[in-house]
């Protein structure tokens, strides 16, 4: 009965959440270019990346072999609805791990790079772009990425407002990660309980 009450309360909270939490209140970030390899100088906002290959996002980045670094770059311009307020970079549920650089300064990481590599494809995230980087109305975002497979999927990068970022960091990640763990523990407990009842 307690489990049912908990699930019912959770369902009520999700259904009664504000409307903005159910829609993507953000704008696409891009267009993007990519290059296979790893060079710290590629985070420099003044770098000429015109020779890099264009990346379709959403799309896939083909790698020559499994376990490679690659970089993605784009100049982003917050549009109507974001100008003048906080701007967040939403990562989407990418398969790779990456470090996020804004105008050459690292502002966050998604997952972890080698040697302790890990990435959680089912987890979305958002990182605040400091306001001083957007004083001229745009910023260069560079992602130093690593993936163990031969093709990395990028579901989409977005510029988000604070409401969307709060939804991603709290409600969405609660559902995608913590709720799965909670349900797994409940199932384990119930399974153990029923086996013990059967044996006894």
């Amino acid at each position: 009965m307690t489990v049912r009450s908990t699930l019912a309360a959770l369902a009520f909270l999700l259904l009664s959440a504000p409307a903005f939490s159910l829609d993507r209140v953000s704008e696409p970030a891009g267009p993007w270019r990519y290059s296979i390899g790893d060079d710290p100088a590629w985070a420099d906002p003044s770098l000429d990346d015109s020779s890099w290959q264009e990346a379709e996002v959403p799309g896939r980045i083909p790698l020559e072999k499994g376990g490679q670094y690659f970089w993605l770059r784009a100049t982003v311009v917050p549009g109507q609805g974001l100008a003048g307020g906080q701007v967040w970079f939403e990562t989407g549920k990418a398969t790779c791990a990456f470090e996020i650089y804004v105008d050459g300064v690292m502002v966050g990481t998604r997952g972890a790079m080698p040697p302790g590599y890990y990435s959680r494809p089912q987890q979305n995230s958002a990182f605040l772009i400091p306001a001083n980087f957007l004083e001229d109305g745009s910023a260069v975002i560079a992602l130093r990425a690593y993936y163990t497979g031969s093709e990395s999927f990028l579901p989409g990068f977005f510029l988000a407002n604070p409401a969307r970022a709060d939804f991603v960091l709290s409600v969405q990640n609660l559902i995608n990660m913590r709720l799965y763990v909670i349900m797994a523990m409940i199932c384990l407990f119930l399974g153990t309980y029923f086996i013990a009842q059967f044996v006894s």
Side-chain angles (χ1 to χ4, degrees):
M1 194 63 166
T2 305
V3 174
R4 287 183 185 176
S5 300
T6 303
L7 293 177
L10 182 60
F12 174 77
L13 289 173
L14 292 176
L15 293 175
S16 61
F20 67 77
S21 66
L22 303 180
D23 298 318
R24 187 180 299 281
V25 184
S26 55
E27 302 177 8
W32 292 86
R33 294 179 181 272
Y34 77 93
S35 180
I36 307 298
D38 187 26
D39 186 341
W42 291 350
D44 188 341
S46 62
L47 176 76
D48 180 10
D49 58 13
S50 59
S51 62
W52 289 21
Q53 292 181 279
E54 290 189 11
E56 289 189 13
V57 181
R60 299 178 184 277
I61 301 295
L63 304 174
E64 298 171 2
K65 57 182 180 179
Q68 276 192 295
Y69 286 94
F70 62 97
W71 282 70
L72 290 145
R73 287 171 53 95
T75 299
V76 298
V77 180
Q80 187 176 5
L82 292 176
Q86 281 191 351
V87 180
W88 293 71
F89 178 73
E90 183 179 345
T91 65
K93 299 179 181 180
T95 57
C96 56
F98 49 77
E99 299 170 346
I100 304 165
Y101 295 85
V102 179
D103 285 350
V105 178
M106 189 168 73
V107 298
T109 60
R110 182 184 185 280
M113 310 300 276
Y117 171 82
Y118 79 89
S119 177
R120 295 176 176 170
Q122 72 275 23
Q123 186 172 14
N124 192 3
S125 193
F127 297 88
L128 178 65
I129 299 177
N132 60 304
F133 291 134
L134 296 168
E135 288 179 349
D136 61 352
S138 66
V140 175
I141 293 183
L143 306 179
R144 177 182 181 245
Y146 183 89
Y147 187 57
T148 55
S150 59
E151 190 177 59
S152 180
F153 176 62
L154 304 173
F157 302 127
F158 299 88
L159 299 181
N161 61 19
R164 172 67 187 180
D166 183 61
F167 173 71
V168 168
L169 295 174
S170 55
V171 179
Q172 193 176 80
N173 282 342
L174 170 67
I175 296 171
N176 288 344
M177 298 295 296
R178 296 178 181 86
L179 186 60
Y180 291 158
V181 174
I182 292 170
M183 293 301 294
M185 294 304 295
I186 291 173
C187 291
L188 179 63
F189 171 77
L190 292 176
T192 304
Y193 174 77
F194 289 133
I195 291 173
Q197 290 292 314
F198 177 77
V199 171
S200 62

